[in-house]
Amino acid sequence: MTRRKTNTILQILAATYPDASTRLHYDNLYQLMVAVVLSAQCTDEQVNKVTPALFKHYPDINSLANADLNELEKLINRVGLFRAKAKNLKAAAIIIQERFNGQIPDQFEDLLTLPGIGRKTANVIISVGFGKPGLAVDTHVQRVANRTGMARAKTPHQTEVQLKQNIDPKDWNQTHHLLIFHGRQICKARNPLCDVCPIEKYCEKNLEMNK
Ligand code: SF4
């Protein structure tokens, strides 16, 4: 897809979803990192249910690094894959203390060295947390980008690279939120609402992209 068409689609989506932003609740960088790690294969709503008590028990990196694993698991056991996430969060906090002076790193490659943090999570932390260009590709972004023809990619990493080639870095973060909102509300996995879709005219409708 041409850069021009891609940006036309994004302009229409921006007008359709003027309040597109993360739905995760957080007050600081530490809370954002924890919430994003918990949100893998889980809804933001479900994450928001467990984080108030979690942040009360473990308000910072230091307390998380010293957390009792069983207690940590109990606090997040309503979130999918909670055992692995508890283990990863504690291990990530220990590494942040030991290697990064207790500060969450602001470099993409450094974030990728932390357990439980892949490209998607690192991109969210970089863009939402640090205000730097980042384009996280989750299941909604992967589906919408490839159905519309904004990308033609099998993997989220390829989709990320292709989207970045056509979109100005200052718009990467917003693109992430717009495609998520569109994927949740109109371009749904099972029944995309093409009849009422505001970008239908520009969409290639590659509907084999079902996920
Ligand atoms: S036209 Fe259909 S496939 Fe294309 S973005 Fe809209 S809902 Fe998705």
Side-chain angles (χ1 to χ4, degrees):
M1 183 177 284
T2 63
R3 189 178 178 94
R4 191 170 179 178
K5 198 165 160 187
T6 296
N7 284 288
T8 298
I9 287 176
L10 291 175
Q11 281 172 9
I12 295 169
L13 294 180
T16 308
Y17 310 109
D19 60 345
S21 61
T22 182
R23 286 295 177 255
L24 292 170
H25 297 166
Y26 66 96
D27 288 331
N28 53 47
L29 196 52
Y30 160 74
Q31 292 186 1
L32 173 69
M33 182 194 78
V34 172
V36 178
V37 168
L38 292 177
S39 72
Q41 297 181 46
C42 182
T43 64
D44 291 353
E45 290 72 24
Q46 194 60 25
V47 172
N48 290 338
K49 284 179 189 165
V50 308
T51 46
L54 179 65
F55 296 151
K56 203 170 169 189
H57 274 77
Y58 306 115
D60 50 30
I61 288 289
N62 183 48
S63 54
L64 186 61
N66 291 298
D68 175 86
L69 204 49
N70 288 329
E71 190 181 68
L72 179 54
E73 285 181 359
K74 269 186 207 151
L75 284 164
I76 63 170
N77 66 9
R78 285 184 286 163
V79 165
L81 307 174
F82 71 93
R83 286 199 178 87
K85 287 175 182 174
K87 196 172 151 204
N88 284 337
L89 281 171
K90 181 176 165 74
I94 291 170
I95 293 172
I96 289 169
Q97 276 198 317
E98 291 177 352
R99 285 200 219 143
F100 300 104
N101 294 323
Q103 303 297 314
I104 294 170
D106 64 353
Q107 298 299 313
F108 189 76
E109 299 303 327
D110 287 339
L111 285 166
L112 289 182
T113 66
L114 301 174
I117 296 192
R119 293 191 69 83
K120 187 198 83 171
T121 307
N123 267 311
V124 174
I125 294 170
I126 285 290
S127 59
V128 179
F130 290 103
K132 296 181 179 183
L135 206 168
V137 177
D138 73 350
T139 180
H140 296 296
V141 176
Q142 174 72 4
R143 183 178 69 253
V144 177
N146 284 279
R147 276 182 176 171
T148 55
M150 295 170 82
R152 292 173 190 276
K154 291 212 166 95
T155 68
H157 188 181
Q158 290 169 344
T159 295
E160 179 191 327
V161 170
Q162 291 179 17
L163 288 175
K164 283 178 170 176
Q165 283 169 350
N166 261 353
I167 300 167
D168 194 296
K170 74 175 172 36
D171 297 325
W172 288 352
N173 184 18
Q174 189 64 359
T175 297
H176 161 78
H177 296 302
L178 290 174
L179 297 186
I180 288 177
F181 267 57
H182 193 56
R184 283 184 183 147
Q185 297 183 30
I186 303 279
C187 195
K188 302 176 184 197
R190 295 244 168 106
N191 296 306
L193 308 176
C194 299
D195 290 348
V196 296
C197 179
I199 56 171
E200 193 264 346
K201 182 174 149 190
Y202 303 97
C203 178
E204 294 178 6
K205 294 189 191 168
N206 300 318
L207 293 179
E208 69 277 11
M209 290 296 303
N210 284 327
K211 293 182 180 174

